Structures are given as C-alpha cells and as structure tokens.
Amino acid sequence: MARAGGKGSSLARMAALGLPVPPGFVVPANALADALPDGGAELRGLAERQDAEAAHALIRTVELDPALSEAVLLAYAGLGPDDVPVAVRSSATAEDSEAASFAGQQETFLHVRGGDRVRERVRDCWASFFSERALFYRSKKGSLGDLGMAVVVQRMVDADIAGVLFTCDPVRKRRDRMVVEAVIGLGEAAVSGAVTPDHYVLKRDGSVRKAQVHAQPYAVVADPRGGVVERPLSPEEAGARKADDELLAALARLGEDLEQRVGVPQDIEWAVQDGQLYVLQARPVTT
C-alpha cells in the first residue's frame, strides 16, 4: 500500500490471485516527493493550507527523475506495440479503505497513447491529488500533509459493456444480494453520472431477482487519436438490456470468489471486451 497506493495494491493482489486484471505497472507513491528538490516540504505546506492553485503551479514544474522516466517508457513499451492505449489512474496511499474510498477524488485518464503522453498524465494524476475537492475531502478523511500518490498504468480495455458490481446491497446493507450496474461502452459514462446505467439485483447464486433497464442515449468509447468520445446509440441499442443472464452469473461468481478471498464485501469495476471479462479495480464497500 505504501508504494503502490490503494488501487495499485488491490490490482496487484487480484492479479496474484489469478483474477482477469489487465496488465500494467505502477509509478511508486514516493516518486512525487523524490522529484521535488526539497523532498516535498513546500508542497506539503501548500496542501496543509489547502492552497490548490499554488500546489498545482508547483507540480507543473516537476520533472520525473531521469531513471524513473526511462523506466516508465520501458514499462509502457512492454504493454504492447504501436503506442498501445492505456488507462492512467491515480492511486493514493490512503484510498480504498472501508472508512474512506476516495473514489472520484483524483483523476483517471483513459485511452492515453504514447510514452510522452503517459508521462504527462502521471504529472496530471499527481496534480489531481491537490485539487480543491481532493484537499477538502482529505481534510475530513485523511492527512493533508500526505504526498503519497502512486499512479497505475494499465493496458486499456476497449469495453463493449462495462459497469460496477457490489457484492452486497450497498443501500440496504443486505449480504444476501449483489447489485450490478451496466452500460454500453466504457464505464466512465456510469461512473461520472452522465447516464443512468441498467440496474440488476442478484441473488448470491447469480440469478436475477430484479432488472431495471434504462435507455442510454450515448456510449463513451475510445477515440483512435487518443482519449474518449461520445457515440450516439440507436433507439434499439439504447433501450436494450445491457447485461444478459450469462454475464450476470459470471459477475456473481467472480464477486463471490473475491469477497471470500479478501473477507469483506467488494465494490468492483469490470468491463467486457470481445466476450472476455476483466476486473479494472476493486475496493471494500464503504460503510
């Protein structure tokens, strides 16, 4: 956790358990402080004063250590040929606990292409740890003086369907139910709140107890030039059920397996590409 952050540690644990996690690497949490000439003392002071503007200005001057910069380029090249698209995700050392998930407080950048662009997005992830919103949240839930922000770089899943699985009912706190939300395309459409996902309530054996299908006006999909775009959906595609019974049963099995291994209910982001189910991240359900 101290080196890889909450998200990075969770992904490494799931990969070690043999779960279908896309390949990737982690820029360690100490890299930001190590890149600053004073070891982060000035930045820590700005964070404690919640001066987001000055903190961002300072981070914009930061250059990755030359050895780390080269390591990032080599690790990125190892994920695939031809500027393989990746997701660059913030991974704070204090995030993804049962008491405080920090979900949505820092940035994630999708379909990033090219080594130089990846390094730029690493810096952008660092900066997002010092936004006004993130500093306010950290003042309530964590330490403002904490500079521990790792960055996860993962090969991008070009999702046909994506969403979230809760291995309990997070609203009613029922452990005999699971809840799945699903959208066409990348899960960012649902995570951002831009569209209303399909909502499925499952029994623990994966059978569907309730299905609420919502019309989805557009899907968030990869832009071949990098980044993402919105693709309008036809009325037939928009109104169709997003997840069939087979997929929901597979999600229930995956969720049950992971919950049994880690011991607490899980909030799991997932995606399907060409029929293959992937786990993008998982955290304890925040209580």
Side-chain angles (χ1 to χ4, degrees):
M1 180 78 80
R3 282 184 59 79
K7 191 176 289 93
S9 296
S10 173
L11 289 167
R13 180 171 61 248
M14 290 190 295
L17 292 172
L19 296 177
V21 176
F25 62 91
V26 178
V27 178
N30 60 298
L32 172 56
D34 289 352
L36 293 164
D38 60 358
E42 181 183 359
L43 182 59
R44 187 173 289 107
L46 293 172
E48 290 172 343
R49 295 194 296 275
Q50 298 189 48
D51 190 341
E53 184 176 354
H56 279 200
L58 177 59
I59 292 170
R60 282 195 292 270
T61 70
V62 172
E63 295 293 339
L64 271 68
D65 174 84
L68 178 61
S69 181
E70 183 63 23
V72 167
L73 291 179
L74 288 172
Y76 171 69
L79 294 179
D82 303 325
D83 289 343
V84 59
V86 294
V88 183
R89 304 177 183 274
S90 306
S91 180
T93 57
E95 75 182 9
D96 291 357
S97 70
E98 291 181 72
S101 75
F102 284 71
Q105 300 303 315
Q106 289 90 45
E107 290 289 352
T108 287
F109 299 95
L110 302 177
H111 212 261
V112 180
R113 306 192 69 159
D116 290 339
R117 192 63 171 158
V118 168
R119 290 186 295 187
E120 290 174 12
R121 289 311 196 186
V122 168
R123 186 190 295 111
D124 291 339
C125 284
W126 287 343
S128 73
F129 197 41
F130 300 90
S131 68
E132 289 185 7
R133 182 176 64 169
L135 289 173
F136 175 78
Y137 188 82
R138 287 165 58 197
S139 73
K140 304 299 182 185
K141 294 288 189 177
S143 169
L144 282 169
D146 178 18
L147 304 186
M149 168 61 82
V151 180
V152 174
V153 180
Q154 275 184 296
R155 193 169 68 196
M156 190 76 196
V157 175
D158 191 8
D160 303 309
I161 309 167
V164 180
L165 162 66
F166 299 95
T167 65
C168 68
D169 186 324
V171 176
R172 296 176 177 82
K173 304 295 189 292
R174 291 188 59 165
R175 298 290 294 271
D176 62 336
R177 298 283 187 265
M178 296 188 185
V179 174
V180 173
E181 295 183 341
V183 296
I184 296 170
L186 301 175
E188 178 63 19
V191 172
S192 67
V195 304
T196 301
D198 280 10
H199 182 89
Y200 306 93
V201 178
L202 312 180
K203 298 179 182 178
R204 297 298 295 190
D205 63 4
S207 59
V208 181
R209 186 174 182 275
K210 182 187 299 184
Q212 294 177 306
V213 177
H214 297 279
Q216 182 179 339
Y218 64 86
V220 176
V221 299
D223 185 335
R225 298 166 296 181
V228 296
V229 294
E230 296 176 1
R231 176 176 68 83
L233 299 176
S234 69
E236 293 76 18
E237 193 176 14
R241 180 172 159 175
K242 314 306 183 297
D244 60 23
D245 286 357
E246 183 179 357
L247 173 58
L248 292 172
L251 286 167
R253 289 193 298 270
L254 184 150
E256 180 70 23
D257 182 34
L258 181 57
E259 182 180 309
Q260 289 296 322
R261 289 171 184 257
V262 301
V264 294
Q266 294 290 294
D267 169 356
I268 302 167
E269 292 186 24
W270 56 271
V272 175
Q273 179 180 356
D274 298 329
Q276 173 64 50
L277 174 62
Y278 294 94
V279 179
L280 305 182
Q281 66 182 79
R283 62 178 73 87
V285 173
T286 305
T287 56

